[in-house]
Structures are given as structure tokens and as C-alpha cells.
Amino acid sequence: MIYILLILSVVAGVLLGKFFGQKEKFSKNLLILSAGFLITICLNEVFPQVYASDIGNLGIFVIAGVLLQMILEALTKGFEHGHFHHHGESNILPMALMVGLFIHAFIEGIPLANETNPFSPYLLGILFHNLPISFILGAFLFNRTGSKVSYPSLLIVALFALASPFGMLLGNYFNPDWQPYFLAIVGGIFLHISSVIIFESNKNHNIDWSKIGLVILGVSLALMMHLFHDHSHVGHHH
């Protein structure tokens, strides 16, 4: 079930991007909403779970996640937070984009190993996060002038859709004691992406009320998931 949800979140986002990719405001709003959701999941779910594990120096792995995401963005050119409009599209080599997105999604999938709850806040965070990235991917691959549905484009989508399920599958074979380390790395990735989207400077540094409203909506949705989720399992991976 979880594998299907992960794949569907990418397929749905790509289809939205194909048909609504010209609506830049829509993709921007989707990104901001997902960023509010993601940073709340990060602070309310991921980090408490990481620090409940009684392992010292996990903060180093959070920082490692932030740095890893910065490195991946050198490949994806900030694709994860909607930056393909601000770069010449020729700057984004499909191969580099494919590698960057695959590694990003693969690592996010690893902590899902042994997850059986389709309403797990961490899983919902990834699904919510997949939508805007897939939207931008669909718009970039299938909605440009003269762009056609080609095998390389479909391959990029397929690899991105399968990356998190593959990480989840492989995660089942890792030592369960490694879970907090992977969660810490993903926490760093989430923190970096969501904070970049939220704190990117507005034009002339004016207050953008619609952006603030979307962030609050994303935070509220994540808090609702947090309140309704059973936390009895947190910190008990051993």
C-alpha cells in the first residue's frame, strides 16, 4: 500500500504539471503549502523521534543532511524548490537532474522501512513533498514548447517514482539501529528544503500575506496529522 502511495504521489504531480504547468503561481503556492507542512513534520515528528533514540551526536547527521541537500542542489539546480524558471533550462542536464532527484528520494524512503501505517506523518510529509517536485518535473519535461512525451522523459519520471520505494525496500535489510541516523539525515534535508522555500526573500521584502497564509495552512494540516497520530511507537525501533 505504501509503495503504491509513493508512486501515485509522483504520477499525480507529474500529470498536474503536464496539464497545469503554465500556471506558475499554482506551482509556487503548492510549494509553499508543502514547505509549511514539511517543516512542521520535521520539527514535530522527525526530530523528536531522532532525539528519543539516546544516541549522541545525531545533530552532526542533521547537518550532514543539510550539506548533502546543498550538494544535490548543485545537480538539480534547486529544482526541489521551484527554481527551474530562474535558470536557463539548458543548465539542468537531465542526467544530473535524474541522479540528484533519485538520491534525494531514495534517502527519504529508507526510514519508511517497516512502516505499515499509510497515515504516518513522516510518510504524508514525503507524499506532500513529492507533489510539488513532481508538478515541476511534469511541467519541465512535458509542458515546454515543442516538448514531447519521450522515453528519456518517462525514464526520469519512472526513476523518481521508484526511488523512495526502492529506498524503503532496501531499508528493510539495514540494521534497525541505523534508523535514527537516516532519520537525522532526512531531517536535515527536509529542514533545508522547507526553510529555503519559506524564507526566500519576497520582492522588496514586503510582507506577502498569501505566502504567510499558505505556510500557516501547511503547518495547521501537519499539526492535525500530529494530533491524530498514535505516538506510542516513537523511539521504539529497537
Side-chain angles (χ1 to χ4, degrees), residues 13-101:
V14 166
L15 288 173
L16 282 170
K18 177 171 168 51
F19 295 110
F20 300 102
Q22 301 296 349
K23 301 181 189 298
E24 194 174 337
K25 187 149 181 63
F26 180 75
S27 68
K28 211 76 179 158
N29 289 345
L30 196 59
L31 269 171
I32 294 164
L33 185 67
S34 77
F37 191 93
L38 204 58
I39 202 163
T40 309
I41 292 291
C42 194
L43 297 174
N44 265 343
E45 302 289 340
V46 178
F47 286 161
Q49 203 165 326
V50 165
Y51 289 114
S53 61
D54 300 326
I55 298 172
N57 299 325
L58 276 174
I60 294 168
F61 287 86
V62 175
I63 299 299
V66 172
L67 294 173
L68 174 63
Q69 184 54 33
M70 290 171 78
I71 293 165
L72 290 177
E73 283 173 15
L75 295 172
T76 63
K77 307 290 183 192
F79 211 83
E80 299 86 337
H81 26 86
H83 276 193
F84 82 99
H85 289 294
H86 307 302
H87 299 265
E89 288 177 354
S90 58
N91 283 352
I92 307 178
L93 297 169
M95 183 57 74
L97 177 65
M98 195 154 65
V99 170
L101 286 178

Side-chain angles (χ1 to χ4, degrees), residues 79 84 89 92 97 135-144 147:
F79 211 83
F84 82 99
E89 288 177 354
I92 307 178
L97 177 65
F135 181 96
I136 294 163
L137 192 63
F140 176 71
L141 293 173
F142 304 120
N143 206 351
R144 289 169 299 160
S147 61

Side-chain angles (χ1 to χ4, degrees), residues 56-229:
N57 299 325
L58 276 174
I60 294 168
F61 287 86
V62 175
I63 299 299
V66 172
L67 294 173
L68 174 63
Q69 184 54 33
M70 290 171 78
I71 293 165
L72 290 177
E73 283 173 15
L75 295 172
T76 63
K77 307 290 183 192
F79 211 83
E80 299 86 337
H81 26 86
H83 276 193
F84 82 99
H85 289 294
H86 307 302
H87 299 265
E89 288 177 354
S90 58
N91 283 352
I92 307 178
L93 297 169
M95 183 57 74
L97 177 65
M98 195 154 65
V99 170
L101 286 178
F102 183 86
I103 294 170
H104 171 100
F106 175 78
I107 292 170
E108 287 177 353
I110 294 171
L112 284 170
N114 306 313
E115 180 62 74
T116 52
N117 178 10
F119 298 104
S120 141
Y122 177 76
L123 172 64
L124 291 170
I126 291 179
L127 298 178
F128 218 111
H129 171 54
N130 275 349
L131 271 174
I133 296 180
S134 306
F135 181 96
I136 294 163
L137 192 63
F140 176 71
L141 293 173
F142 304 120
N143 206 351
R144 289 169 299 160
T145 321
S147 61
K148 292 176 183 171
V149 177
S150 62
Y151 286 117
S153 298
L154 291 173
L155 181 64
I156 290 175
V157 172
L159 281 172
F160 182 50
L162 293 171
S164 286
F166 187 51
M168 182 180 172
L169 187 67
L170 211 64
N172 288 314
Y173 298 98
F174 291 150
N175 185 332
D177 293 344
W178 295 356
Q179 174 85 341
Y181 297 103
F182 285 116
L183 261 182
I185 291 168
V186 173
I189 290 173
F190 279 5
L191 191 64
H192 178 72
I193 289 175
S194 53
S195 57
V196 166
I197 295 167
I198 292 170
F199 301 121
E200 269 184 333
S201 58
N202 301 317
K203 287 174 186 168
N204 305 321
H205 294 274
N206 293 330
I207 295 175
D208 185 340
W209 290 110
S210 64
K211 183 175 184 176
I212 292 168
L214 284 165
V215 171
I216 291 169
L217 181 58
V219 168
S220 304
L221 284 170
L223 284 175
M224 281 166 60
M225 301 296 174
H226 177 70
L227 291 171
F228 289 115
H229 180 56

